[in-house]
Amino acid sequence: MENSRCLVGTAGWSIPAVYKASFPAAGSQLERYAARLSIVEINSSFHKPHRRETYERWASSVPDHFCFSAKLPRAVTHERRLEACDDLVDNFLDQIGGLGTKLSVLLVQLPPSLQFEPRAVENFFAVLRAKTDRRLVCEPRHPSWFEPEAETLLSRFHVGRVAADPASVPAAAMPGGWRELAYFRFHGEPRIYYSDYEAGQLLGIGERLAEASAAAAEVWCIFDNTARGHALGNALSVDAAVRQMTFSSLNARPSATRA
């Protein structure tokens, strides 16, 4: 999908047995995963730190075009709730720096109870933006984050607001904030993290990605319904659909003719 604006992957790179035939037999799970999909979201960084050497090993095991996003630790977002966390951010950025140029996006997922507080949010993103040049996306879940003031602040710091499914409020279903990167996270519906998306739903997801690609320089689609292994199958289906859409779009362009 190097020629496409729409990139599809999963949260983590586990390959359930039912999908193993779709991937090379040799190599680590990450190496095998990266042979088929070009992005992945690191969610384990939310729960525990990894050594910089671990990230370096991951980066060296994937192709040059492959990109990672990484989720900020819960200690930053859920425990300190974006405040007085400079030390934690510094430690995380030092560790994640092991990915080098293959680190493309940092994800800030907020607890549903965290309301939009302009001063605290501005301070946090000002500090984070000063410490890293990586693209930033934020997945808020409290309704107060979907008002114009929050939208303006996120845009000012070039932070994309994640489009989430299921959406906590209707506005959460589509990307917001900084629009150069549209970042979708599909958690499974009706049972979050568990439910499989049916064929009709996956078709609708592909259409949403195509719509977003008309307005954003790049679109990321991450399936997070990993509890029963459905994420990888969903990602492969949507990736194939996006590839077909891209191919059809290219073929539909008029060919150049000489005068």
Side-chain angles (χ1 to χ4, degrees):
M1 299 188 63
E2 296 84 354
N3 296 322
S4 172
R5 290 181 174 185
C6 294
L7 307 173
V8 183
T10 63
W13 48 81
S14 176
I15 301 175
V18 67
Y19 301 117
K20 68 179 183 180
S22 298
F23 294 84
S28 68
Q29 288 210 44
L30 177 56
E31 289 172 319
R32 294 162 60 207
Y33 173 100
R36 286 291 309 272
L37 298 169
S38 57
I39 60 170
V40 76
E41 184 181 274
I42 301 173
N43 263 254
S44 57
S45 56
F46 176 76
H47 299 285
K48 63 180 182 180
H50 299 295
R51 295 187 305 164
R52 186 182 179 97
E53 292 78 11
T54 298
Y55 288 113
E56 290 173 348
R57 186 177 72 251
W58 290 344
S60 67
S61 69
V62 297
D64 289 344
H65 71 270
F66 191 88
C67 291
F68 295 86
S69 69
K71 193 173 181 180
L72 263 69
R74 65 174 292 119
V76 172
T77 56
H78 288 55
E79 295 172 15
R80 297 197 188 176
R81 299 171 74 84
L82 306 184
E83 300 192 72
C85 54
D86 284 26
D87 56 331
L88 298 177
V89 171
D90 286 339
N91 289 339
F92 174 69
L93 292 177
D94 179 65
Q95 295 158 9
I96 206 75
L99 292 175
T101 58
K102 290 174 183 173
L103 173 61
S104 184
V105 184
L106 294 175
L107 167 65
V108 182
Q109 186 192 51
L110 303 178
S113 62
L114 187 59
Q115 299 184 41
F116 176 73
E117 296 289 347
R119 181 174 297 179
V121 174
E122 180 173 9
N123 289 342
F124 173 77
F125 281 115
V127 169
L128 184 57
R129 178 54 72 201
K131 293 176 182 292
T132 180
D133 61 358
R134 294 300 186 262
R135 295 180 296 178
L136 305 176
V137 295
C138 179
E139 184 179 7
R141 289 180 281 181
H142 191 277
S144 60
W145 282 81
F146 301 92
E147 299 297 330
E149 185 178 8
E151 183 84 357
T152 299
L153 192 151
L154 291 175
S155 297
R156 179 154 60 90
F157 286 102
H158 289 186
V159 179
R161 194 189 72 233
V162 169
D165 183 81
S168 56
V169 298
M174 291 303 293
W178 185 62
R179 299 303 179 92
E180 289 299 304
L181 172 63
Y183 198 105
F184 290 79
R185 302 187 80 225
F186 292 94
H187 301 292
E189 190 178 13
R191 189 181 181 191
I192 190 170
Y193 306 129
Y194 286 84
S195 292
D196 192 9
Y197 286 99
E198 298 177 354
Q201 293 173 303
L202 295 174
L203 179 62
I205 289 171
E207 293 170 349
R208 288 172 64 184
L209 300 182
E211 179 183 351
S213 71
E218 192 168 287
V219 177
W220 280 45
C221 171
I222 296 293
F223 284 93
D224 189 33
N225 51 334
T226 56
R228 289 183 176 167
H230 296 308
L232 190 57
N234 291 167
L236 291 173
S237 295
V238 172
D239 182 64
V242 168
R243 287 176 182 269
Q244 183 59 41
M245 289 179 191
T246 302
F247 179 79
S248 299
S249 175
L250 290 173
N251 281 349
R253 296 176 184 173
S255 59
T257 58
R258 293 185 179 181

